Amino acid sequence: MNIGQAAKAAGVSQRMIRHYEGIGLIPAPVRTEAGYRVYSSADVHTLRFIGRARDLGFPLEDIEVLVRLWRDRSRASAEVKALALAHVKGLERKIAELQAMKRTLEHLAATCHGDDRPDCPILEGLSTGPDGPAAIKPANRRTVGGGR
Amino acid sequence: MNIGQAAKAAGVSQRMIRHYEGIGLIPAPVRTEAGYRVYSSADVHTLRFIGRARDLGFPLEDIEVLVRLWRDRSRASAEVKALALAHVKGLERKIAELQAMKRTLEHLAATCHGDDRPDCPILEGLSTGPDGPAAIKPANRRTVGGGR
DNA sequence: TATGGGCCTTGACATCATGTCAAGGTCAAG
DNA sequence: CTTGACCTTGACATGATGTCAAGGCCCATA
């Protein structure tokens, strides 16, 4: 199977398959004489595993461990569970941050009449405060901020 | 005021101040003969505004608009409110995605005994399913996934 | 057999906001 | 004048992914 078919079968883009190979998350596959990558259905299975783990928000770094444990038939399920629960904790932190932002913004917006008048509590809020402990401040703004 | 003091006063890193200047979010400040950037307290005020907007998760692209509206004393508050509410919608979407991940992961983890035995429903879940509509699939995995 | 379209290859650049490091210039206090 | 704290620019890294470009390969059809 060529990369295009493998990608379709696994629900992972060709770009990502090559990337996973590049970072050593999956082994380099056999090549045809012309240099085409050739995948087995076992490879596709692995790729699907990776895709699902991504859908649950695991970073590739964790996925490397998960794949290793998955292959290791003598693993302790405790290790997997710990990884999963740590990730849940991370998700909870992000959710809390986003909810704090949402709450603050809703409060500001609630008192903004939102018409033709220039009067705007939202801008005032951004301009004036909060300087005190208003929201859960991410250590690093980028951890959660931005995007739409 | 030099950049270091401005950064401290505004709660924004020097790196980011230079970046905001680079992308045109703030105007290039006056320089000393030696080329040092010189900031006024009004500049600091703007930077603090930007920092707070970032803390609420606005992307810089939106912040550019917000700053413009902030300066424009004849703005319509409706425009600000619309921007804020659109951002709230975005936050809600992300929160929902993260919660879906969390829920799925908790379900998987709940049935995993997490001891020395290799038996692991979490890995089985990743390996076997879900192929059906299990979670809110982000159009683009990167929109929300990963990270800790 | 020649040609075209669809597949593959690698490499590079973009995203988004931020950190960090390096090499070098400046300023102020001792 | 030296030292240390500050400033400058530029480059590279993060994480996962998209996209584009230039070029090679394969197969089917005219």
Side-chain angles (χ1 to χ4, degrees):
Chain A
M1 195 180 335
N2 283 341
I3 199 173
Q5 289 153 329
K8 215 166 288 181
V12 169
S13 72
Q14 300 182 26
R15 176 70 175 80
M16 282 303 101
I17 296 178
R18 296 198 188 97
H19 182 58
Y20 297 157
E21 179 187 332
I23 64 175
L25 178 57
I26 58 175
V30 173
R31 303 265 190 148
T32 66
E33 279 184 25
Y36 284 25
R37 290 169 179 81
V38 176
Y39 296 92
S40 69
S41 56
D43 294 330
V44 170
H45 197 189
T46 301
L47 288 168
R48 230 178 305 133
F49 179 97
I50 293 171
R52 288 199 204 94
R54 284 296 299 132
D55 285 340
L56 291 181
F58 284 101
L60 292 180
E61 196 183 357
D62 284 10
I63 294 177
E64 200 178 340
V65 178
L66 287 173
V67 170
R68 198 161 2 101
L69 291 169
W70 183 45
R71 292 197 196 295
D72 177 6
R73 272 187 263 181
S74 73
R75 80 234 160 193
S77 62
E79 200 172 342
V80 182
K81 189 167 185 174
L83 205 53
L85 292 182
H87 183 47
V88 168
K89 281 256 190 285
L91 291 171
E92 280 167 356
R93 251 188 306 123
K94 280 194 197 162
I95 290 169
E97 287 183 11
L98 295 175
Q99 281 174 335
M101 290 178 189
K102 186 189 161 207
R103 237 177 299 125
T104 303
L105 217 39
E106 280 173 337
H107 287 163
L108 290 175
T111 49
C112 175
H113 32 51
D115 56 17
D116 283 353
R117 285 168 291 172
D119 212 65
C120 184
I122 299 172
L123 293 178
E124 280 167 33
L126 287 169
S127 164
T128 299
D131 267 340
I136 301 165
K137 281 239 186 180
N140 211 339
R141 262 165 192 155
R142 82 164 171 278
T143 49
V144 96
R148 248 169 332 176
Chain B
M1 191 178 346
N2 283 341
I3 198 173
Q5 289 154 327
K8 215 167 285 181
V12 168
S13 72
Q14 299 183 26
R15 175 70 175 80
M16 280 305 99
I17 296 179
R18 296 198 189 97
H19 182 57
Y20 297 157
E21 178 187 332
I23 64 174
L25 178 56
I26 57 175
V30 172
R31 303 267 190 148
T32 67
E33 279 183 23
Y36 285 25
R37 289 170 179 82
V38 176
Y39 296 92
S40 69
S41 56
D43 295 330
V44 170
H45 197 189
T46 302
L47 287 168
R48 228 177 306 130
F49 179 97
I50 293 171
R52 290 202 203 92
R54 283 297 298 132
D55 286 339
L56 291 181
F58 283 100
L60 292 181
E61 195 183 357
D62 284 9
I63 294 176
E64 199 178 341
V65 178
L66 287 173
V67 170
R68 197 160 3 100
L69 291 169
W70 184 45
R71 292 198 196 295
D72 177 5
R73 272 187 263 180
S74 72
R75 79 234 160 193
S77 61
E79 201 172 342
V80 182
K81 189 166 184 176
L83 206 52
L85 292 182
H87 184 47
V88 168
K89 279 257 189 283
L91 291 171
E92 279 168 355
R93 253 186 305 124
K94 280 193 197 165
I95 290 169
E97 286 183 10
L98 295 174
Q99 280 174 336
M101 291 178 189
K102 186 189 160 208
R103 235 175 302 124
T104 303
L105 218 39
E106 279 173 337
H107 286 164
L108 290 175
T111 49
C112 175
H113 31 50
D115 55 16
D116 284 353
R117 285 169 292 171
D119 213 65
C120 184
I122 299 172
L123 293 178
E124 279 167 35
L126 287 170
S127 162
T128 297
D131 266 340
I136 302 166
K137 281 239 186 179
N140 213 339
R141 263 164 192 156
R142 81 165 172 278
T143 50
V144 95
R148 236 170 342 174

